């Protein structure tokens, strides 16, 4: 067979009718149909025909380049993914150019954001045309980084900035104001989105997110979630919808949900050899006495599973008091954790602010006299501190286990080394920016730029 009829395991494809100058495809003879990454899929009527409009991010790990395409709808088929899940996918026909050969193929429109390749070339496109030599790559022509950059130069805007949504509840909070200010200072458009005024349309072919009054939110490059605990469930549902539409979320719904469930988070930390104060959990009041003994007895800490900012956290100074508090919580069907009290900490803890896998700032918090909680919201005083390399590693690993791009990691110093108290997925900026002088809001915006491969 001629060399120009032999494909490697990956090849470059061009779709002139769709306006896609080059897209890297994985050649897969095990897949029947070819597919291409697509989001914001919308089926519409053109004359008497059904067409489909969609966006393609043709370059892996670069969501800042997005190409709007449209084509006649050929079919909507049930396709089984590599995970064995069946889903309805629109199908189009379009000419493809591989090497110097142009021919028409069918493409299913699929969400391939998590896949290594933005396109898959299946056997229907190969039959009667090509053999595949999996030992080779780009047998019909390689494209250098410089050539690729040149091809996509017309699709790159010059310093127009990103469109960023801030998903929160109160625009007047210090943290939210600072994030908006930092984004605008870097030339981006930052829009405040009240969680409770956002709603969504769930549909296989044309999912949407809308804002109060019916405005469709389809122009965001990224969303920064600052979700208060009382709207965790709904806020995470919105983040999943934004992700479905191809919008980058600075902290995913899954990572926020894990961080808010203190029991699940504690189990993950234990599983990954992250040291925490001895913690107990039980359902039945019959086990209260042993639960107290298990965490070394009073004094001990009792925490609501979804507590935050020090709220829902109680210090029981005697075993009898601990029994009373635990049984009172259980009598009203409230889930709690029981945790050992680290006396030697003297009401101090350390807040490490982790962004994109790095500790960007740290402060020590000291509880008020007569108070055991060092949270700033509970009147704690903050001061600069130099953390140890062990504490730095603990903070970074804790955020990584929950897959959080932004995290406030609280650590306590004990006689057996640093212990993790908890990880906050929406950490406040006021205390740590004022204490350290660090412009953390700017670091958060820079992280979004890096994730989206945006350069000013």
């Amino acid at each position: 067979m001629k060399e120009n009829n032999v494909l490697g395991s990956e090849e470059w494809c061009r779709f002139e009718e769709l306006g896609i100058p080059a897209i890297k495809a994985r050649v897969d003879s095990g897949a029947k149909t070819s597919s291409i990454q697509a989001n914001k899929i919308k089926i519409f009527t053109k004359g008497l025909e059904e067409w489909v409009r969609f966006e393609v991010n043709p370059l892996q790990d670069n969501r800042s380049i997005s190409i709007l395409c449209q084509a006649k709808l050929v079919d909507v088929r049930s396709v089984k993914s590599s995970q064995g899940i069946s889903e309805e996918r629109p199908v189009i026909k379009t000419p493809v150019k591989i090497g110097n050969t142009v021919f028409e193929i069918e493409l299913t429109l699929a969400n391939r954001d998590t896949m290594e390749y933005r396109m898959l070339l299946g056997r229907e496109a190969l039959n009667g045309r090509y053999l595949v030599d999996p030992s080779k790559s780009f047998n019909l022509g390689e494209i250098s980084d410089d050539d690729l950059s040149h091809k996509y130069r017309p699709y790159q805007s010059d310093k127009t900035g990103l469109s960023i949504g801030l998903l929160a509840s109160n625009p007047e909070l210090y943290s939210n104001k600072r994030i908006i200010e930092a984004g605008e200072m870097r030339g981006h458009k930052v829009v405040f989105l009240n969680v409770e005024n956002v709603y969504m349309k769930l549909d296989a072919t044309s999912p949407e997110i809308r804002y109060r009054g019916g405005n469709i939110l389809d122009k965001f490059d990224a969303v920064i979630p600052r979700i208060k605990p009382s709207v965790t469930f709904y806020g995470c549902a919105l983040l999943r919808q934004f992700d479905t539409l191809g919008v980058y979320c600075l902290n995913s719904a899954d990572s926020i949900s894990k961080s808010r469930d203190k029991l699940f988070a504690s189990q993950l930390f234990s599983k990954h050899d992250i040291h925490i104060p001895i913690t107990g959990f039980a359902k039945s009041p019959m086990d209260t006495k042993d639960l107290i003994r298990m965490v070394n007895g009073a004094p001990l800490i009792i925490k609501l599973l979804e507590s935050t900012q020090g709220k829902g956290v109680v210090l029981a100074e005697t075993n009898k008091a601990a029994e009373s508090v635990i049984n009172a919580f259980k009598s009203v069907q409230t889930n709690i954790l029981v945790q050992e009290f680290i006396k030697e900490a003297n009401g101090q803890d350390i807040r490490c602010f982790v962004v994109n896998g790095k500790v960007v700032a740290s402060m020590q918090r000291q509880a008020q006299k007569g108070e055991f909680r060092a949270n700033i919201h509970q009147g704690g005083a903050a001061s600069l501190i130099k953390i140890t390399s062990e504490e730095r590693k603990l903070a970074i690993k804790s955020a990584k286990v929950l897959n959080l791009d932004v995290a406030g990691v609280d650590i306590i110093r004990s006689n057996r080394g640093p212990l993790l108290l908890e990880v906050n997925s929406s950490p406040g900026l006021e205390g740590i920016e004022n204490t350290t002088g660090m412009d953390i809001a700017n670091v958060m915006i820079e992280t979004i730029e890096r994730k989206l491969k945006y350069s000013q």
Side-chain angles (χ1 to χ4, degrees):
M1 197 151 191
K2 293 180 182 178
E3 184 68 13
N4 63 359
N5 287 338
V6 177
L7 299 182
S9 60
E10 51 187 347
E11 295 289 347
W12 287 100
C13 296
R14 298 160 180 82
F15 294 94
E16 291 185 6
E17 284 193 7
L18 297 178
I20 300 172
I23 186 167
K24 190 189 294 183
R26 177 187 166 215
V27 180
D28 185 0
S29 58
K32 181 181 178 183
T33 316
S34 301
S35 66
I36 193 167
Q37 182 274 342
N39 54 55
K40 301 184 183 178
I41 299 168
K42 178 85 172 177
I43 295 174
F44 64 99
T45 303
K46 191 174 182 181
L48 298 176
E49 298 176 329
E50 281 194 308
W51 281 57
V52 60
R53 184 183 296 116
F54 55 98
E55 285 188 10
V56 175
N57 302 116
L59 302 181
Q60 184 69 21
D61 296 326
N62 188 345
R63 288 161 101 169
S64 64
I65 292 179
S66 182
I67 298 175
L68 181 63
C69 309
Q70 63 178 27
K72 184 180 175 182
L73 183 69
V74 172
D75 196 5
V76 176
R77 290 183 197 148
S78 181
V79 178
K80 190 172 283 189
S81 71
S82 57
Q83 288 82 32
I85 301 170
S86 293
E87 58 182 355
E88 297 291 309
R89 293 182 184 171
V91 182
I92 65 170
K93 270 187 180 178
T94 188
V96 61
K97 185 175 183 180
I98 305 176
N100 295 318
T101 306
V102 180
F103 57 95
E104 193 171 64
I105 64 168
E106 283 193 348
L107 282 176
T108 62
L109 306 182
N111 185 341
R112 298 183 57 83
D113 277 345
T114 59
M115 306 296 181
E116 185 179 356
Y117 294 88
R118 311 307 258 175
M119 182 184 162
L120 184 147
L121 197 64
R123 64 176 178 271
E124 282 186 345
L126 307 176
N127 285 346
R129 294 189 181 96
Y130 299 106
L131 291 178
V132 179
D133 184 348
S135 68
K136 296 181 178 180
S137 290
F138 310 115
N139 197 46
L140 298 190
E142 174 64 291
I143 298 177
S144 69
D145 289 343
D146 286 344
D147 285 344
L148 196 63
S149 179
H150 178 72
K151 286 178 184 294
Y152 278 103
R153 187 67 191 89
Y155 298 89
Q156 294 175 320
S157 302
D158 291 324
K159 300 184 180 179
T160 56
L162 299 170
S163 182
I164 301 172
L166 176 60
L167 191 65
S169 296
N170 183 357
E172 298 305 315
L173 284 183
Y174 175 93
S175 299
N176 296 335
K177 283 182 170 180
R178 282 288 298 113
I179 289 168
I180 292 171
E181 178 185 85
E184 290 177 346
M185 284 289 288
R186 296 187 67 82
H188 307 304
K189 181 182 179 183
V190 186
V191 179
F192 183 86
L193 301 173
N194 190 311
V195 175
E196 296 176 41
N197 293 335
V198 184
Y199 55 103
M200 56 190 138
K201 172 189 172 188
L202 307 178
D203 181 73
T205 55
S206 57
E208 290 178 348
I209 294 184
R210 299 192 177 205
Y211 201 60
R212 184 174 55 191
N215 296 312
I216 298 175
L217 304 178
D218 61 351
K219 300 298 182 187
F220 288 110
D221 299 295
V223 165
I224 302 172
R226 302 284 304 175
I227 301 167
K228 63 183 181 181
S230 62
V231 293
T232 298
F233 176 81
Y234 189 64
C236 286
L238 291 173
L239 288 177
R240 285 191 292 272
Q241 189 78 347
F242 274 115
D243 182 65
T244 296
L245 296 174
V247 179
Y248 168 69
C249 300
L250 188 68
N251 282 350
S252 69
D254 182 57
S255 61
I256 292 171
S257 296
K258 286 176 183 174
S259 72
R260 292 278 164 88
D261 184 339
K262 286 189 165 44
L263 176 60
F264 185 29
S266 297
Q267 290 173 316
L268 286 172
F269 298 145
S270 297
K271 179 181 178 180
H272 289 87
D273 197 32
I274 292 173
H275 292 226
I276 62 174
I278 298 168
T279 302
F281 177 77
K283 186 70 176 171
S284 169
M286 301 285 288
D287 301 313
T288 299
K289 282 186 168 63
D290 193 43
L291 195 62
I292 292 169
R293 281 194 294 271
M294 196 166 66
V295 299
N296 297 329
L300 55 79
I301 303 294
I302 300 161
K303 289 182 177 180
L304 294 179
L305 278 191
E306 293 191 351
S307 60
T308 185
Q309 297 178 349
K311 297 170 185 173
V313 182
V314 177
L315 172 65
E317 298 194 13
T318 66
N319 284 356
K320 189 171 182 180
E323 279 187 58
S324 298
V325 174
I326 292 167
N327 291 334
F329 275 131
K330 287 184 178 177
S331 70
V332 291
Q333 305 296 306
T334 301
N335 287 317
I336 56 167
L337 290 178
V338 176
Q339 204 167 64
E340 71 170 318
F341 179 62
I342 308 299
K343 186 178 179 182
E344 62 267 24
N346 296 317
Q348 293 177 342
D349 71 13
I350 297 167
R351 161 60 63 92
C352 296
F353 209 105
V354 180
V355 182
N356 199 26
K358 294 180 181 178
V359 177
V360 298
S362 303
M363 65 178 176
Q364 181 173 275
R365 303 182 299 188
Q366 174 69 57
Q368 283 185 327
K369 191 172 182 180
E371 173 61 73
F372 70 97
R373 295 167 295 183
N375 306 69
I376 302 297
H377 288 88
Q378 299 299 328
S383 59
L384 275 172
I385 188 173
K386 186 174 181 180
I387 60 172
T388 66
S389 61
E390 190 179 3
E391 288 162 350
R392 185 178 301 277
K393 287 175 185 175
L394 175 60
I396 292 169
K397 186 177 181 181
S398 303
K400 187 176 181 181
V401 163
L402 296 178
N403 199 27
L404 289 167
D405 285 330
V406 174
V409 180
D410 295 341
I411 294 170
I412 198 166
R413 289 174 171 173
S414 76
N415 291 335
R416 57 182 188 269
L419 302 175
L420 175 67
L421 285 181
E422 67 176 299
V423 179
N424 190 324
S425 57
S426 294
L429 302 184
E430 186 170 11
I432 199 156
E433 282 198 342
N434 290 339
T435 302
T436 64
M438 284 287 296
D439 189 349
I440 295 173
N442 187 66
V443 176
M444 291 169 67
I445 302 297
E446 285 180 330
T447 296
I448 292 173
E449 293 174 353
R450 279 195 291 272
K451 294 283 185 180
L452 296 181
K453 301 285 193 295
Y454 173 86
S455 58
Q456 289 183 318

